[in-house]
Amino acid sequence: MIRLESIGKQNGQQIIFIEASAALQKGEKIGLVGPNGAGKTTLFRLITGEDLPDEGQVSVDRGTTIGYFSQDVGDMKGRSAVAEVMDGAGPVSAIAAELKELETALGDPDRADEMEELITRYGEVQGRFEELDGYALDGRAREVLDGLGFSQEMMEGDVGALSGGWKMRVALARILLMRPDAMLLDEPSNHLDLESLIWLESFLKGYDGALLMTSHDREFMNRIVGKIVEIDGGTLTSYSGDYEFYQQQRALAEKQQQAQFERQQAMLAKEVAFIERFKARASHAAQVQSRVKKLDKIERVEPPKRRQTVQFEFQPAPRSGEDVATLKGVHVRYGSRTIYEGLDFQVRRKERWCVMGVNGAGKSTLLKLIAGATQPNEGTVVVGGTVKMGYFAQHAMELLDGDETVFQSLEGSFPQAGQGSLRALAGCFGFSGDDVEKRCRFLSGGEKARLVMAKMLYDPPNFLVLDEPTNHLDIATKEMLIKALAEYEGTMLFVSHDRHFLAALSNRVLELTPDGVHNYGGGYTEYVASTGQEAPGLRS
């Protein structure tokens, strides 16, 4: 269906692909993985023809329709979300537009002399529209938007008034409604809440076309793909199985390659020692020459590539008292909308609460109340006297000074710290070498998140309040964060749509629903077992 044959691609001095080959067959669902900057987006652009390879060939079977969702959604305004989504539905949307034009023409008295041709054409177009199930298009568009979390009001409103994250959902809905032969999805799980993520997972499982996607959500990828293609060092390597299986196979291949490399190094050292020892002796000249020739012909085994991984290290935090945060009789209203009415909630030392609820249930509001970023209309919020809080909020990344470098940003937050310790801190969070001289405005979302975390954790808090901390992090960085937080001795309260993160770190669940607030004594895994659902909005 789609084939990449021995492609080569270079951007400036950076080599992206060297004789790389892969294929996407009909009905296959493939996860595309690799370190940041490895060339995942370039690969999508090569398939769509937005970019061309320097060498090799990209071929797509004749008549194959491709839908490409990228993070760059462009400018959307002037139409409703429903109209914008329907516009992306392929041939049927063009036919719908012609049908509308013909209806206008049929009612135009100035075109009365064309009436016969217009009626004939209207019949042809209407027949084709029915054939393509066009009259169900509006309903299907609304179904997709509903699955992605849109209210009826948002569907009808101007798409230009939506935030960037919601515009992303509109762009994704366009591709899903189109149902092309092949979908290329670049991070479709970004900007989705848990309910929308689970709906998308179900949609993609039922999609019978070919799928090639990237995602930073390992659980999401595990449940959809049956094959992994890895980009690393300019090559494409295929692994049959899901992401979990790929990780196991990759680790096994690395282990085998390391053992092979070490065996060959030992053999080479032995041969070189023999040559050095006997090269001056005439009696061994033939043997020495024979071994020199043998060494020249041996194909050298390369050591396995070591992925650079971020190692988060928490210094021990001072111990807090038993009562970390207490909310009593809390009321929160925004205009006519009530978020909380008489909320009572307590966080005690070493508890790890994950907060769950549909969009608008008040998850971020709860975190803001406890962090002191917002005040209740009524009631009290008390944080323990010995509590030292670290609050990670999405807007914190917007507060970074774009003109400052990474190092200047750290230095500004910790003027008393020595250069060595700040460079070590930057290194722990993935900023090594020249990376510390990058200006904040040029950082990716993941780099900004890591910098904000570095600042938060340098002087360790004993209470972490985290609002979607993994939103912009790649899988490897998430793994390191989970590993570090699992060893963290303090208390946690967090919101996340990453099920792996939720299951690994929570030991309490606070569920916010229209019927009230529910507490669950176990973590997320126990919550799923108890309710039979992975998110509150999925229960009828």
Side-chain angles (χ1 to χ4, degrees):
M1 199 174 180
I2 297 171
R3 286 167 300 282
L4 298 102
E5 296 164 47
S6 302
I7 57 167
K9 183 69 183 171
Q10 193 165 335
N11 285 343
Q13 296 300 305
Q14 189 189 6
I15 294 169
I16 310 290
F17 296 114
I18 311 165
E19 293 191 356
S21 299
L24 178 62
Q25 307 295 351
K26 193 173 181 180
E28 264 189 330
K29 292 184 170 69
I30 298 178
L32 185 62
V33 303
N36 283 339
K40 297 189 286 290
T41 301
T42 302
L43 188 73
F44 285 138
R45 290 171 60 84
L46 289 170
I47 293 171
T48 58
E50 288 175 47
D51 210 341
L52 297 171
D54 301 329
E55 294 166 10
Q57 191 179 349
V58 178
S59 53
V60 179
D61 287 353
R62 188 186 294 277
T64 300
T65 54
I66 295 176
Y68 173 38
F69 169 74
S70 76
Q71 294 295 302
D72 182 17
V73 297
D75 191 29
M76 291 183 189
K77 59 183 176 188
R79 282 196 286 205
S80 71
V82 174
E84 189 71 45
V85 170
M86 284 167 65
D87 186 57
V92 70
S93 64
I95 292 166
E98 190 181 349
L99 208 55
K100 207 168 184 179
E101 282 171 20
L102 286 165
E103 281 166 3
T104 306
L106 285 166
D108 186 351
D110 295 340
R111 299 186 67 176
D113 55 339
E114 300 172 58
M115 202 53 66
E116 201 173 317
E117 298 109 75
L118 287 171
I119 290 169
T120 305
R121 181 61 187 154
Y122 186 81
E124 289 167 1
V125 174
Q126 191 179 39
R128 180 70 181 130
F129 191 63
E130 283 174 357
E131 212 177 281
L132 290 170
D133 202 19
Y135 287 108
L137 192 63
D138 182 86
R140 280 170 47 219
R142 289 174 189 276
E143 196 181 319
V144 171
L145 286 168
D146 180 63
L148 293 176
F150 283 76
S151 64
Q152 288 300 320
E153 193 183 345
M154 289 169 79
M155 291 182 202
E156 301 295 347
D158 186 342
V159 75
L162 298 174
S163 69
W166 285 99
K167 282 182 180 174
M168 289 265 188
R169 295 191 197 204
V170 171
L172 178 59
R174 278 173 67 106
I175 306 296
L176 301 182
L177 183 68
M178 179 185 172
R179 289 191 90 100
D181 300 319
M183 275 194 215
L184 311 180
L185 304 181
D186 193 1
E187 294 297 341
S189 51
N190 273 6
H191 304 285
L192 296 183
D193 54 60
L194 193 47
E195 283 81 6
S196 302
L197 192 67
I198 291 165
W199 177 87
L200 178 60
E201 191 177 278
S202 172
F203 183 97
L204 293 176
K205 277 185 195 169
Y207 166 63
D208 53 11
L211 172 68
L212 179 66
M213 72 168 193
T214 63
S215 176
H216 289 163
D217 188 318
R218 92 185 226 173
E219 194 63 43
F220 178 72
M221 196 182 278
N222 265 339
R223 297 185 190 198
I224 295 167
V225 306
K227 183 175 171 183
I228 295 287
V229 170
E230 179 192 55
I231 306 181
D232 200 8
T235 61
L236 294 169
T237 310
S238 296
Y239 297 81
S240 291
D242 61 13
Y243 184 80
E244 203 99 0
F245 182 74
Y246 149 75
Q247 275 192 311
Q248 292 163 7
Q249 290 300 106
R250 195 181 194 282
L252 186 63
E254 269 186 11
K255 199 174 174 183
Q256 289 170 342
Q257 192 176 341
Q258 183 66 33
Q260 208 180 338
F261 171 73
E262 286 170 5
R263 280 198 302 273
Q264 190 183 68
Q265 289 299 303
M267 181 273 289
L268 292 174
K270 199 173 167 185
E271 294 294 312
V272 168
F274 180 91
I275 291 163
E276 287 299 316
R277 187 175 171 195
F278 295 111
K279 66 182 177 185
R281 297 190 192 180
S283 59
H284 287 73
Q287 280 177 288
V288 167
Q289 280 306 308
S290 166
R291 294 197 182 201
V292 167
K293 283 177 185 171
K294 180 182 158 188
L295 284 186
D296 287 342
K297 287 177 184 172
I298 288 174
E299 193 175 332
R300 299 296 197 264
V301 175
E302 293 290 325
K305 293 187 188 92
R306 294 289 175 216
R307 287 266 177 96
Q308 215 186 2
T309 51
V310 184
Q311 296 288 342
F312 295 107
E313 289 180 10
F314 285 90
Q315 299 304 315
R319 180 181 164 135
S320 73
E322 289 303 313
D323 294 339
V324 174
T326 306
L327 284 76
K328 279 187 183 168
V330 166
H331 291 250
V332 175
R333 290 178 291 274
Y334 293 125
S336 60
R337 192 159 153 255
T338 299
I339 307 293
Y340 297 125
E341 199 162 13
L343 172 68
D344 293 327
F345 175 55
Q346 184 164 45
V347 179
R348 294 180 66 77
R349 193 173 76 84
K350 288 212 167 186
E351 289 180 339
R352 293 158 171 257
W353 286 92
C354 74
V355 184
M356 305 197 67
V358 297
N359 263 340
K363 300 187 295 290
S364 293
T365 301
L366 177 65
L367 271 56
K368 285 177 186 172
L369 284 166
I370 289 175
T374 193
Q375 299 301 316
N377 298 99
E378 293 172 41
T380 59
V381 179
V382 177
V383 174
T386 54
V387 168
K388 187 176 169 191
M389 192 186 302
Y391 175 43
F392 179 90
Q394 291 303 305
H395 71 83
M397 298 194 288
E398 296 159 23
L399 300 178
L400 292 170
D401 185 337
D403 291 327
E404 284 186 343
T405 64
V406 168
F407 190 78
Q408 285 168 342
S409 187
L410 291 172
E411 211 171 24
S413 295
F414 310 108
Q416 305 304 315
Q419 285 221 356
S421 76
L422 288 184
R423 284 187 183 275
L425 172 70
C428 282
F429 285 84
F431 298 103
S432 54
D434 293 341
D435 289 343
V436 294
E437 299 307 325
K438 263 192 189 177
R439 297 206 178 275
C440 290
R441 71 158 53 90
F442 299 122
L443 298 179
S444 68
E447 287 170 326
K448 284 178 181 173
R450 294 205 311 264
L451 177 55
V452 170
M453 278 183 196
K455 290 174 148 198
M456 184 175 75
L457 301 173
Y458 179 67
D459 187 11
N462 52 30
F463 181 32
L464 287 175
V465 178
L466 310 172
D467 194 357
E468 295 285 7
T470 63
N471 248 5
H472 299 276
L473 302 181
D474 60 31
I475 291 179
T477 310
K478 268 187 206 178
E479 289 296 327
M480 297 313 299
L481 180 61
I482 288 170
K483 193 176 164 192
L485 288 174
E487 292 165 14
Y488 171 66
E489 290 290 315
T491 307
M492 287 172 62
L493 176 73
F494 60 91
V495 173
S496 175
H497 64 240
D498 188 295
R499 285 162 289 180
H500 181 52
F501 188 88
L502 291 170
L505 297 171
S506 59
N507 61 20
R508 298 280 190 287
V509 174
L510 181 72
E511 185 189 54
L512 308 174
T513 73
D515 308 326
V517 175
H518 308 288
N519 293 344
Y520 293 85
Y524 178 72
T525 305
E526 289 80 7
Y527 165 82
V528 173
S530 164
T531 62
Q533 297 287 355
E534 292 186 300
L538 301 175
R539 291 215 296 281
S540 52

